[in-house]
Amino acid sequence: MTDSSRADGAHEAGRADDSLRDRWQEALIGARGGAPGPDPLPYAANLLARWAEPQRRYHTTAHLAAVLDHIDTLARYAADADAVRLAAWFHDAVYRPDRSENEERSAALAERALPEAGVPAGVTAEVARLVRLTVTHDPADGDANGEVLCDADLAILAATPREYAAYAAQVREEYGFVPDDAFREGRATVLRQLLGLPRLFRTPHGADHWEPRARQNLLTELELLSH
């Protein structure tokens, strides 16, 4: 890689982070309901640093931006779109591939940070609930906010075949410490569980636009894992 290409990459990353900071600020101010509060930007800096940790390959700022984009697409279905957006920021804020309590630790981080940032108790509780929901991606019927967050988080499953292949490769990199046979077995179990669900997506948009391609991508990956 040349110095010029490195500089271009750093510039693009900086612009992406600037966009994310703006989106954080908008969601946080919206969640405050117009009430005054601390400067949002230090909180954004802390979260962006977490999302840029070196152990991440898929669960990066690019994933965060994609989830926020999908929430924008689905926002009309949410009861509180700003709470859902804040939940997206926190849902993988703590991420260690070799640990099982990431969602709980991420929710606890939200419960500490959001009141300090001026977010009302009820919204904070909703954000933490939504973060914990990403353990199962199984919102109850009528849980509009949960449906939007879970659909946005799983939307990668409906990506183009090339994008899906890149996602699957990044997941494998994150679990590089797991031997190949064990990874294939574990990943196949996850794929079969997803395929066994009566529906992957709960919002009307997700069901109409994402479900068929997602199932095809999952079946393709499962077949590749068996070879």
Side-chain angles (χ1 to χ4, degrees), residues 183-195 222 225:
F183 178 82
R184 281 195 296 270
E185 181 179 348
R187 181 68 178 171
T189 297
V190 170
L191 298 177
R192 291 189 188 99
Q193 289 171 343
L194 289 169
L195 286 165
L222 187 59
L225 286 171

Side-chain angles (χ1 to χ4, degrees), residues 16 26 30 33 43 88 92 95 108 114 125 135 137 157 201 218 222-223:
E26 183 177 354
Y43 297 92
D92 285 319
Y95 184 73
L114 290 177
V135 175
H137 292 95
L157 301 181
F201 299 102
L218 292 170
L222 187 59
E223 182 178 353

Side-chain angles (χ1 to χ4, degrees), residues 211-224:
E211 186 89 16
R213 180 181 283 176
R215 288 192 175 275
Q216 184 57 57
N217 283 334
L218 292 170
L219 285 168
T220 298
E221 186 185 0
L222 187 59
E223 182 178 353
L224 291 172

Side-chain angles (χ1 to χ4, degrees), residues 35-207:
D39 182 357
L41 294 182
Y43 297 92
N46 179 280
L47 287 164
L48 287 170
R50 291 173 178 274
W51 282 91
E53 291 166 341
Q55 76 276 10
R56 299 169 183 257
R57 294 296 182 271
Y58 170 65
H59 294 88
T60 64
T61 53
H63 170 59
L64 171 60
V67 172
L68 291 171
D69 287 344
H70 294 310
I71 291 171
D72 288 345
T73 298
L74 303 173
R76 64 189 182 277
Y77 303 117
D80 184 344
D82 286 323
V84 179
R85 291 183 177 102
L86 291 181
W89 274 89
F90 281 97
H91 83 286
D92 285 319
V94 178
Y95 184 73
R96 298 285 176 181
D98 59 339
R99 306 287 283 271
S100 61
E101 71 278 12
N102 291 315
E103 292 86 358
E104 179 56 36
R105 294 176 66 200
S106 295
L109 177 65
E111 289 170 331
R112 293 194 303 272
L114 290 177
E116 181 183 292
V119 175
V123 180
T124 296
E126 175 65 355
V127 171
R129 182 189 75 81
L130 291 169
V131 172
R132 292 184 172 102
L133 187 59
T134 61
V135 175
T136 62
H137 292 95
D138 187 20
D141 289 342
D143 179 2
N145 290 336
E147 289 176 347
V148 169
L149 179 63
C150 290
D151 277 18
D153 196 26
L154 293 180
I156 183 61
L157 301 181
T160 66
R162 177 175 291 185
E163 290 167 337
Y164 185 91
Y167 146 73
Q170 289 164 348
V171 170
R172 180 64 186 107
E173 287 181 42
E174 285 187 339
Y175 286 88
F177 56 91
V178 179
D180 285 342
D181 287 348
F183 178 82
R184 281 195 296 270
E185 181 179 348
R187 181 68 178 171
T189 297
V190 170
L191 298 177
R192 291 189 188 99
Q193 289 171 343
L194 289 169
L195 286 165
L197 295 173
R199 48 186 180 152
L200 294 165
F201 299 102
R202 307 298 183 88
T203 63
H205 181 93

